[in-house]
Amino acid sequence: METIYFAGGCLWGVQHFIKSLFGVVATEAGRANGRTGALDGEYDGYAECVMTVFDPQKVSVKELIDYFFEIIDPYSVDKQGSDVGKKYRTGIYSTNEEHLKIAKKYISSREDSSQIKVEVLPLINYVRSAEEHQDRLTRFPNDYCHIPKEILNKYRK
């Protein structure tokens, strides 16, 4: 199994979408690449993200990135849907350098590559989100989500 982290705005929808993909074996809502640790529920500089554990024999990093680009606005800075702020930036993070190379190659191969604002960085730190954020849309399907429902449920297992 391998692990990669996707930040695509509000993590509720991102987790709901990613966990439904073939080859994804586990997800966890969290925060990536912030300053210091989380203090009293504040996540200074962190991006809301989804830790994604996947089976590379069933789904490739490139395929996961393809899916990820279906649910984000890759041209937006610190904004996805109605969510605005640094914590809603888009990003792909990993401790595996090969994942980052694949992500950079994916972006650079696109015709619109010069306009894409998705961070591709090593994972520096990660904090698991509170239990109330884990699988939120599974428990409360009518809660807010910036991803259109037809896309959110497109790949249901």
Side-chain angles (χ1 to χ4, degrees):
M1 297 304 132
E2 296 182 18
T3 303
I4 192 167
Y5 300 76
F6 292 104
C10 177
L11 52 77
W12 298 348
V14 177
Q15 182 180 30
H16 193 77
F17 177 81
I18 289 176
K19 76 176 186 176
S20 71
L21 300 174
F22 179 77
V24 171
V25 297
T27 61
E28 180 178 88
R31 312 286 202 270
N33 286 8
R35 290 180 288 281
T36 66
L39 303 171
D40 299 324
E42 293 297 320
Y43 298 95
D44 187 23
Y46 282 83
E48 290 196 6
C49 74
V50 175
M51 179 180 71
T52 305
V53 180
F54 65 99
D55 182 344
Q57 300 300 315
K58 295 181 178 176
V59 64
S60 69
V61 170
K62 184 194 175 299
E63 288 171 309
L64 289 172
I65 295 168
D66 274 334
Y67 293 131
F68 177 63
F69 267 69
E70 286 189 49
I71 62 169
I72 63 167
D73 173 356
Y75 316 115
S76 182
V77 176
D78 299 342
K79 181 181 186 307
Q80 291 293 303
S82 355
D83 298 314
V84 178
K86 190 162 179 67
K87 72 179 184 175
Y88 299 116
R89 67 189 183 272
T90 54
I92 301 169
Y93 313 108
S94 183
T95 58
N96 182 325
E97 186 59 38
E98 189 60 30
H99 293 171
L100 300 175
K101 286 179 186 174
I102 292 166
K104 287 175 184 174
K105 182 177 179 182
Y106 176 90
I107 291 169
S108 68
S109 71
R110 290 175 53 119
E111 288 183 21
D112 59 354
S113 63
S114 65
Q115 300 168 322
I116 292 176
K117 306 301 182 198
V118 178
E119 291 183 333
V120 178
L121 297 169
L123 181 74
I124 297 167
N125 50 21
Y126 172 81
V127 178
R128 183 182 193 276
S129 289
E131 196 57 41
E132 68 189 68
H133 296 293
Q134 303 302 323
D135 296 310
R136 178 78 181 200
L137 289 183
T138 299
R139 294 180 292 113
F140 303 101
N142 294 320
D143 266 7
Y144 166 79
C145 183
H146 68 285
I147 303 168
K149 285 202 185 287
E150 63 272 7
I151 295 174
L152 191 65
N153 298 312
K154 187 174 179 179
Y155 300 104
R156 301 301 312 158
K157 288 180 190 172

